[in-house]
Amino acid sequence: MTKPRKSILLADDNPSFLMYVGILIKRLGYNVLIAKNGAEALKVMKEKRPSIVFLDINMPVMDGKACLSIAKNDTEIKDIPVFMISARSDRIQDFIKLGCSGYLKKPINLSELYETIQSSIEETPRRSMRINVFLKITLSYIETTEELYAINLSENGMYLRRETPLEIGTPVTVKFHIPGTNALITLKGYVIYTKNLMNNLTPEPGIGIRFDDIIPENKSKIRRIIYDQLVKDLLEGKSKEILEG
């Protein structure tokens, strides 16, 4: 059985911000709840109990400061981490005194957003971003070579769909092209875990591979793939003012 996705509340009166940052959070693997003002945010916090809240400071009906103050004095929701979001950082100490856990500056930086979520709500925070992919891979091990598909990728490893598992610890070599180019990446690693075929195919059967002694150049290339998958299509028009790399 897979764990249910954790939920993140995003409260802001800017529809573009809610749309683009909400999409990004979903791509990072979380459910997204939205609110357009502080009053709506409090209602969602009480009803849905999100794992973390990102709260804009300036909103109509009820601003972020009032919302934060009420939330931190409510015994039912006071333990939910709340991070303020704003283009200004000069008032952050006032909000910390009220109980906020920290601050994110607009435009939202992808790495800072990811690290904040991981460190705040995950029992074992990931050191690097992981994304879902559909990437054709050439896998070599012992005296065998086969073509598989990676369905998950991070700077440190990947998950390959495979009907039958390999033995944990098996040394492997994987080769794949950077999407949209002819550039080939070759990486060595080993099998660190396996998933057998289950009745509902969740998770998909396969093998988890950890890369071994990956050189900085290849790590940078993988980071670029992950970044492009997450935000390249979003960095157009209005979203350029909302998101940054």
Side-chain angles (χ1 to χ4, degrees):
M1 178 181 291
T2 56
K3 294 181 180 179
R5 284 188 169 196
K6 295 179 179 177
S7 294
I8 294 174
L9 171 59
L10 197 58
D12 197 289
D13 62 327
N14 183 332
S16 294
F17 184 90
L18 293 175
M19 174 180 172
Y20 292 116
V21 179
I23 290 173
L24 184 53
I25 290 173
K26 286 194 70 172
R27 290 179 181 179
L28 290 174
Y30 299 92
N31 288 329
V32 180
L33 306 169
I34 62 172
K36 298 174 184 175
N37 57 62
E40 287 186 10
L42 286 172
K43 185 175 185 229
V44 174
M45 291 171 73
K46 297 275 282 187
E47 293 178 354
K48 303 294 185 179
R49 304 298 170 86
S51 298
I52 188 173
V53 177
F54 292 106
L55 184 66
D56 188 35
I57 293 176
N58 297 312
M59 293 184 290
V61 183
M62 179 187 292
D63 65 15
K65 184 175 181 179
C67 177
L68 175 66
S69 180
I70 293 172
K72 290 305 173 181
N73 283 284
D74 187 317
T75 56
E76 294 183 1
I77 58 176
K78 66 184 180 70
D79 293 329
I80 299 175
V82 177
F83 286 79
M84 310 308 293
I85 47 179
S86 177
R88 296 175 52 185
S89 60
D90 54 332
R91 297 171 58 195
I92 187 59
Q93 290 303 319
D94 293 337
F95 292 97
I96 288 177
K97 290 177 182 177
L98 289 175
C100 85
S101 298
Y103 164 80
L104 286 180
K105 186 178 181 181
K106 293 181 178 179
I108 295 297
N109 177 278
L110 173 58
S111 296
E112 291 179 2
L113 176 66
Y114 180 78
E115 290 169 5
T116 298
I117 294 171
Q118 286 290 308
S119 62
S120 300
I121 67 176
E122 297 295 352
E123 293 179 5
T124 307
R126 296 189 185 280
R127 292 177 296 173
S128 58
M129 279 180 277
R130 175 180 294 186
I131 60 167
N132 294 327
V133 293
F134 189 66
L135 198 60
K136 192 173 185 179
I137 301 292
T138 299
L139 174 72
S140 301
Y141 60 96
I142 312 175
E143 296 181 355
T144 303
T145 298
E146 59 189 27
E147 291 188 342
L148 300 172
Y149 280 90
I151 58 175
N152 205 277
L153 176 68
S154 77
E155 292 177 25
N156 299 314
M158 61 173 50
Y159 185 78
L160 305 180
R161 185 192 303 121
R162 194 172 193 272
E163 184 177 347
T164 56
L166 296 175
E167 186 175 343
I168 292 175
T170 301
V172 299
T173 299
V174 296
K175 297 180 180 180
F176 60 95
H177 287 92
I178 297 175
T181 76
N182 292 320
L184 185 69
I185 298 179
T186 300
L187 301 167
K188 293 186 179 297
Y190 55 95
V191 178
I192 58 171
Y193 67 92
T194 64
K195 298 291 184 182
N196 293 313
L197 182 65
M198 304 295 288
N199 290 336
N200 60 1
L201 294 177
T202 304
E204 295 181 32
I207 54 176
I209 293 172
R210 176 172 292 164
F211 302 140
D212 190 20
D213 295 328
I214 182 172
I215 62 174
E217 180 183 359
N218 281 338
K219 181 168 282 193
S220 178
K221 289 177 180 178
I222 295 173
R223 188 181 300 122
R224 186 75 241 177
I225 293 172
I226 293 170
Y227 177 78
D228 284 349
Q229 290 283 324
L230 285 171
V231 301
K232 188 175 182 179
D233 65 311
L234 299 179
L235 293 178
E236 299 176 359
K238 288 184 179 180
S239 53
K240 286 184 178 180
E241 303 171 3
I242 295 167
L243 303 171
E244 65 179 29

